[in-house]
Amino acid sequence: NERNYHIFYELCGDSDCSQKYNLGAPETFNYLNQSGCVDVPQINDADEFASVKEAMGLLEFTSEEQDSILQLTSAVLWLGNVVFSSKMHSGSTEGSKIEGTDAIENVAKLLQLPVETVSKVLCYRTIRPKAGSDSAIIPLDPNGARIATDSLAMGIYGKLFSWMVTRVNDSLGEKEGRFIGILDIFGFEIFDNNSFEQLCINYANEKLQQLFNKTTFKEEEELYMAEGVPYTHIDFVDNQPVLNLVELKPKGILPCLDDECLLPEGSDKKFMNKIEDYHAGTPYFIVDDKRRFENTLSFEIQHYAGIVKYDASEFMTKNLD
C-alpha cells in the first residue's frame, strides 16, 4: 500500500507533460498500479511538481536538461508496459516477441532510438566472453525479457539519479569543498523470498560490519595499548569467513556468478551446482541434501545477523544489470 517514486505520479498528473510524453493516468502503468495506492491525502502532486521545476530552475538546469530528465523518466514508465509472448527459434530455443506497439513505440520515441533497436535489446542478451572475441546473441524467453526490461528501467533511473546529484553539486559552486553527499545505510534484509538483491544488500552489510569491527574494536584496542590506557578486551565475531565465501576469487559466490554470466550456455542451475560443489563443507554455506533431486536453487548463508535462505533463480539475469 505504498507509492512508487513521487515524480512518476507528478508527471502523470501534469497536463503538459502528459501530452508531451504521451502519458496516461497512473493506473495505466504497471510500475504504478501494483500496490493499489495512487493518491496520498497529505501530498498535492501538482504543488510538489511545481516545487521540483522551481528547484531545477534555481539550480540553473537548462530547459533542455529539464526536458531530458522528464523524458527519460517517462521512458521508464513506458518500459514497464512492454508485454512479451513466447516465440520459438531454431533448435527449439524459446525466445520472446513484443505484443502490441503502443508501449515499445513510446519507449523508442522517448529514448530517441529506432523501434527495432529497442526491441532487440529487450528480447535478446549479448555476451562477449572476453575482450576481442565475437559476441554471442542469445534469445530471452518472456520471463527473461521481462526481467531484462525491468533491469533496463532501473538502470536508466539509477544513472539519471546519479547524473542529477553530480549536476546539483556542480550548480552549487566550487567542486572542491562544497558538495552534497548522500549516505544511505542498507538495512539487513531477511524476507520470505530472498533473491540477488538481498544477497547484495546483505553483503554490503557484512562489509560495513567488518569496518565497524575494525574501527571500533581492533584499532581502538591498538590505540589503548600504544598509550598504555587500561582496557577490557571485548570479544567479537570476525565475519571475514563469510566475506570470503561471497567475494573471494575464484570460488566465491559472486566471482562464480560473474564467470557463469560470461558463458553462452551459462545458467542459474549450473551456477548453483558450482557453488554447492565448492562450498559444501563450509560451515557458513548450507544447502538441503535433497536440493538436486527436487530441482530447487536455494542455499543459505550464515550471516552475522542470522541465517538467510536465498533463491538463486534469476541470479544471472539480475547480475547482468
Side-chain angles (χ1 to χ4, degrees), residues 79 82 84 98-124:
L79 279 169
V82 179
F84 302 93
I98 295 173
E99 292 291 326
T101 60
D102 190 35
I104 192 65
E105 287 179 353
N106 276 290
V107 170
K109 180 180 178 181
L110 292 167
L111 295 180
Q112 299 180 5
L113 294 169
V115 171
E116 295 76 14
T117 300
V118 180
S119 299
K120 185 177 181 180
V121 168
L122 301 186
C123 294
Y124 297 83

Side-chain angles (χ1 to χ4, degrees), residues 4 39 82 113 162 181 212 234 243 257:
N4 206 315
D39 298 311
V82 179
L113 294 169
S162 296
F212 176 81
I234 300 176
L243 290 172
L257 182 58

Side-chain angles (χ1 to χ4, degrees), residues 133-310:
S133 62
D134 294 332
S135 299
I137 300 176
I138 302 172
L140 295 169
D141 62 24
N143 184 56
R146 179 69 264 159
I147 294 171
T149 301
D150 292 339
S151 297
L152 176 61
M154 288 188 291
I156 291 173
Y157 195 91
K159 292 286 187 180
L160 177 59
F161 181 85
S162 296
W163 177 85
M164 289 186 67
V165 171
T166 301
R167 180 67 177 79
V168 168
N169 287 334
D170 289 342
S171 296
L172 292 178
E174 298 178 5
K175 292 186 178 181
E176 294 184 3
R178 302 172 68 184
F179 67 94
I180 291 179
I182 298 177
L183 176 61
D184 186 2
I185 298 297
F186 295 107
F188 196 86
E189 292 191 350
I190 306 177
F191 298 139
D192 292 335
N193 183 39
N194 302 286
S195 188
F196 183 67
E197 299 91 336
Q198 282 68 50
L199 177 61
C200 292
I201 289 172
N202 293 340
Y203 168 53
N205 272 279
E206 290 282 0
K207 298 291 283 188
L208 289 171
Q209 180 67 21
Q210 186 186 56
L211 178 64
F212 176 81
N213 289 342
K214 178 182 178 183
T215 57
T216 304
F217 297 121
K218 292 182 179 179
E219 292 181 357
E220 285 298 312
E221 189 172 276
E222 291 173 358
L223 179 62
Y224 284 8
M225 291 179 63
E227 296 182 353
V229 177
Y231 70 94
T232 301
H233 175 74
I234 300 176
D235 292 321
F236 62 91
V237 177
D238 186 359
N239 66 337
Q240 186 61 52
V242 178
L243 290 172
N244 291 342
L245 169 67
V246 176
E247 69 182 8
L248 188 64
K249 295 181 179 181
K251 296 182 179 181
I253 292 173
L254 293 182
C256 282
L257 182 58
D258 288 338
D259 291 343
E260 193 68 20
C261 287
L262 294 175
L263 302 176
E265 299 300 322
S267 68
D268 292 320
K269 183 177 180 179
K270 292 178 180 178
F271 158 71
M272 182 66 218
N273 290 341
K274 286 179 182 178
I275 62 173
E276 182 178 8
D277 291 341
Y278 288 151
H279 303 294
T282 304
Y284 299 96
F285 181 86
I286 309 161
V287 292
D288 192 310
D289 294 337
K290 300 179 180 179
R291 183 195 69 78
R292 298 199 187 197
F293 297 105
E294 297 175 351
N295 200 30
T296 60
L297 302 180
S298 60
F299 63 94
E300 296 178 346
I301 295 179
Q302 174 68 65
H303 289 284
Y304 77 90
I307 296 177
V308 181
K309 185 175 183 178
Y310 296 98

